[in-house]
């Protein structure tokens, strides 16, 4: 059974620091991994999708890396801002799951202080 | 561009009452549609999945059902709500099983 873990569960940094969020998964037979952002009481906003054949994906201040063999992905957010405060979730899709089900980690709650 | 709409945003219902949550997608055709539930302390769980009109797959047995009467419309229902049905319900869509997923703004359901 696939287990997706996000550590730490919570993180507080001063504005301007770089954020490093970790995601690990136990089954390396994945199609892809997707990072989301969730603001309190809101839905999920897709940040980055990284395919299993890719090592890295970038969008603006965001960079996601993927090491499928070791079951790890890292989301880097450069020069954090108070507006980056949110919960960040990673999710994987298994190649053995024909439904395209996303299996989620529990998330990392980020607070960026001014 | 594609957009996904969910309503209502919040709902308070008594135990034993029926439920109907609606989700629609605009700007695409024949999307894969999903219902997820996010419960406190339990993370996000897939409830139902649909690849086309009238085609529904259930991930876990429960007090809920889903229907897809039109290509871009996905409905989550219950005949009689339980306290344990409380949670945050999210609709999502993707082009295919292994492409990027996009989520709606969610419905906060409280069963009292």
């Amino acid at each position: 059974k696939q287990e997706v873990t996000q550590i730490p569960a919570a993180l507080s940094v001063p504005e301007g620091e770089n954020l490093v969020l970790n995601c690990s998964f136990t089954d390396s037979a994945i199609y892809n991994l997707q990072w989301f952002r969730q603001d309190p009481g809101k839905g999920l906003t897709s940040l980055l999708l990284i395919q299993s054949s890719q090592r890295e994906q970038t969008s603006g201040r965001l960079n996601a890396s993927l090491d499928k063999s070791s079951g790890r992905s890292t989301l880097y957010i450069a020069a954090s801002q108070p507006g980056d405060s949110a919960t960040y979730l990673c999710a994987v899709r298994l190649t053995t799951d024909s439904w395209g089900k996303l299996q989620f980690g529990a998330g990392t709650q980020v607070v960026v202080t001014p | 561009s594609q957009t996904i709409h969910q309503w209502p945003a919040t709902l308070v219902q008594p135990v034993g009452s029926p439920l109907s949550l609606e989700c629609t997608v605009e700007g695409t055709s024949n999307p894969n549609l999903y219902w997820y539930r996010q419960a406190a302390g339990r993370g996000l769980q897939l409830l139902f999945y649909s690849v086309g009109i009238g085609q529904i797959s259930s991930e876990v047995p429960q007090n809920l059902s889903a229907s897809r009467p039109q290509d871009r419309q996905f409905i989550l229902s219950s005949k009689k709500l339980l306290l344990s049905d409380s949670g945050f319900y999210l609709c999502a869509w993707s082009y295919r099983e292994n492409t990027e997923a996009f989520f709606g703004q969610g419905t906060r359901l409280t069963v009292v």
Side-chain angles (χ1 to χ4, degrees):
Chain A
K1 180 187 172 186
Q2 176 74 280
E3 300 281 346
V4 182
T5 304
Q6 291 187 248
I7 295 174
L11 184 61
S12 181
V13 299
E15 181 177 4
E17 265 198 22
N18 297 330
L19 283 164
V20 180
L21 307 178
N22 298 301
C23 174
S24 62
F25 46 94
T26 54
D27 188 342
S28 61
I30 64 168
Y31 270 130
N32 51 49
L33 184 146
Q34 195 166 352
W35 282 95
F36 295 90
R37 168 189 171 133
Q38 186 175 30
D39 293 295
K42 302 295 184 182
L44 277 61
T45 300
S46 178
L47 297 175
L48 288 167
L49 174 72
I50 184 165
Q51 300 292 348
S52 62
S53 58
Q54 295 178 303
R55 301 277 298 182
E56 200 172 330
Q57 189 70 261
T58 298
S59 176
R61 293 186 295 114
L62 276 59
N63 175 279
S65 66
L66 176 65
D67 184 341
K68 196 175 74 165
S69 60
S70 67
R72 293 181 183 179
S73 177
T74 302
L75 178 66
Y76 301 90
I77 303 177
S80 62
Q81 304 167 0
D84 294 327
S85 299
T87 297
Y88 291 82
L89 297 155
C90 69
V92 299
R93 276 193 184 84
L94 293 179
T95 57
T96 52
D97 183 359
S98 61
W99 291 11
K101 175 174 71 175
L102 284 165
Q103 301 210 34
F104 284 86
T108 295
Q109 188 174 14
V110 172
V111 174
V112 181
T113 55
Chain B
S1 64
Q2 301 83 18
T3 55
I4 179 169
H5 302 281
Q6 264 188 263
W7 66 93
T10 60
L11 195 58
V12 180
Q13 293 285 96
V15 169
S17 64
L19 173 74
S20 181
L21 303 181
E22 191 163 340
C23 170
T24 59
V25 180
E26 295 178 358
T28 187
S29 60
N30 198 30
N32 289 350
L33 295 172
Y34 308 83
W35 279 110
Y36 285 83
R37 178 168 59 199
Q38 188 174 34
R42 296 187 61 184
L44 275 141
Q45 181 184 36
L46 178 66
L47 301 177
F48 298 98
Y49 166 90
S50 174
V51 295
I53 295 173
Q55 300 179 61
I56 309 294
S57 297
S58 174
E59 176 70 355
V60 293
Q62 57 214 318
N63 185 42
L64 302 168
S65 62
S67 62
R68 185 171 176 173
Q70 299 180 46
D71 181 45
R72 290 169 289 175
Q73 184 185 30
F74 206 21
I75 297 172
L76 184 69
S77 304
S78 174
K79 292 182 180 178
K80 290 185 178 181
L81 283 168
L82 306 172
L83 287 173
S84 58
D85 292 324
S86 294
F88 192 49
Y89 289 84
L90 290 153
C91 181
W93 76 273
S94 65
Y95 283 116
R96 294 291 181 268
E97 290 79 12
N98 60 346
T99 58
E100 190 172 6
F102 300 94
F103 281 75
Q105 286 301 297
T107 296
R108 171 72 60 192
L109 172 66
T110 304
V111 182
V112 296

